[in-house]
Amino acid sequence: MGQTNGNQRKRVLLLTTPASYRTPAFLAAAERLGLEAIQAVDLPEPLAREWNVPLGVDFTRPERAAEQVAAFVREQPVDAILPLDDSATVLAALACARVGLPHNAPDAALAARDKYLMREMLAAGGVPVPHFQRFSAASDPAHIARQVNYPCVVKPTILSGSRGVIRADDPDQFVAAFARTRDILASEGWAPEAASILVEEFLPGFEVALEGLLTENGLQVLALFDKPDPLDGPFFEETIYVTPSRLPEETQAAIAETTARGAAALGLRQGPIHAELRINERGPWIIEMAGRSIGGLCSTVLEFGTGYKLEDLILLQAVGEPLPEPDIAAPAVGVMMIPIPASGILRRVDGVDEASKVPGITGIEITARLNHPIAALPEGASYLGFIFARAETPAAVEAALREAHGRLRIRITPEIRLRPIAAQAR
């Protein structure tokens, strides 16, 4: 495993960011598999040199970054270029196309990031989507409020992690939601005239997350997570994921079939896929689909019967190695993305030792930095941390996660912003 001609190891170029949760897991997987992993990081070139990063590129300029990546690969060939987060999926497709490596089409990678383009392509491919409209962020929300049906969901076309996603049940709520989403986009550097906001029908139902690999034989489902907490708004903070799913087999089959159809409609044809779906009496609906693996530290709970982690399977496929049979090793596993109860300064998280003693809990990671600002949804862009569990049944996993979370005591104080005082006239 991990060998090419002679004793030369296979090489993979990982496209990542300085703050990515995913990098350590992929680096550890590459080491287990005997692969050489090289990082291309979203950094200015001078800072990359100072940090001894082999390649620093600007992910926000994918065409230029793709040329830099391609030039690097021509000098130092690799067997695969792999994006670890949403920010690098388009860059990976462009770079692979330039050097002749297998890849998703750049348009497909973009569609998996742009929520409006995704909806258009899904609809064109015959995949059910909620009714949707796109508006300039510079639009007057009071005018739009008279054009939409309620309840609806307001969301930015390009942001991840439920940021800026807000439910509105009437025109007044819509005006407030639209303005708030516009402010979130502005905080990311988007001028209103250059940004778009999607308004779509709110779909009742429950949600699941599907983790899979797209291969030449179609979609290979690796895990289907139930999300037992309702996601009805006004914000859509994800908390608990549990697998295996407790849904009937026919429902699980319908979810897999819809996901495969959605990937085909977007033009995604290889590599990892992460899909979020909502299910109701009309069947499964794709809410989000991305050409990368699950975010955060959620993959930590996934271990397959052959002893492989999720990242192992992704890397094996990327470098052209055969895949083992991906049976989940444990009876049931789960993770809680610890909710952020308020925005402010995170001062303390007490009770971690007590929560760790709950039967079934296998680990707790507090990833937010103490004494630093932390933001709740819809503004928030990160998690407070993660709780991991393993047990005989999904119900026992869910119960363990809830009990452990109940033992945590999170202290967040208001953030005091100082304003400059104008010099008094003398």
Side-chain angles (χ1 to χ4, degrees), residues 13 16 23 34 92 132 147 150 169 182 195-196 213 229 248 250 257 266 281 285 298 311 314 326 333 340 356 365 367:
L13 183 64
T16 186
T23 308
F132 63 96
Q147 305 176 35
Y150 298 96
D169 292 337
R182 179 166 55 202
S196 297
L213 283 174
D229 284 337
E250 58 270 23
E257 190 268 341
L266 297 183
E281 68 280 358
W285 303 73
C298 298
E311 294 79 15
I314 293 170
V333 293
I340 298 173
S356 299
E365 294 278 348
T367 53

Side-chain angles (χ1 to χ4, degrees), residues 322-395:
L323 293 177
E325 187 63 32
D327 290 331
I328 294 289
V333 293
V335 58
M336 172 184 277
M337 291 155 277
I338 303 172
I340 298 173
S343 297
I345 305 295
L346 178 63
R347 297 301 185 186
R348 298 177 61 87
V349 180
D350 295 322
V352 173
D353 288 343
E354 182 183 351
S356 299
K357 295 175 183 177
V358 172
I361 297 300
T362 58
I364 299 177
E365 294 278 348
I366 304 300
T367 53
R369 294 189 296 172
L370 296 181
N371 300 314
H372 282 74
I374 191 168
L377 281 178
E379 285 79 14
S382 61
Y383 304 114
L384 192 148
F386 302 83
I387 306 174
F388 309 101
R390 182 182 299 254
E392 289 299 316
T393 67

Side-chain angles (χ1 to χ4, degrees), residues 13 37-41 43 45 48-49 51-57 72 76:
L13 183 64
I38 306 165
Q39 295 183 63
V41 185
L43 283 174
E45 291 180 52
R49 287 194 297 269
W51 288 6
N52 295 316
V53 173
L55 182 60
V57 294
F72 179 90
Q76 301 185 47

Side-chain angles (χ1 to χ4, degrees), residues 1-12 30 33-38 72-80 319 321:
M1 187 184 303
Q3 301 297 312
T4 54
N5 297 328
N7 294 320
Q8 184 180 357
R9 292 192 297 168
K10 287 193 173 182
R11 294 155 49 92
V12 59
L33 298 173
L35 303 174
E36 181 181 352
I38 306 165
F72 179 90
V73 170
R74 292 185 189 107
E75 291 291 327
Q76 301 185 47
V78 299
D79 297 275
V319 300
E321 294 281 355

Side-chain angles (χ1 to χ4, degrees), residues 187-198:
S187 73
E188 290 294 311
W190 288 90
E193 298 77 13
S196 297
I197 293 176
L198 189 67

Side-chain angles (χ1 to χ4, degrees), residues 42 98 140 144 166 177 184 201 241 257 265 278-279 299 305 311 316 350 357 383 386 405:
D42 185 13
R98 283 165 167 77
D140 177 7
I144 302 172
I166 307 173
I184 293 169
E201 168 194 7
Y241 277 32
E257 190 268 341
R278 184 162 283 229
I279 297 91
S299 71
E311 294 79 15
L316 286 173
D350 295 322
K357 295 175 183 177
Y383 304 114
F386 302 83
H405 178 243

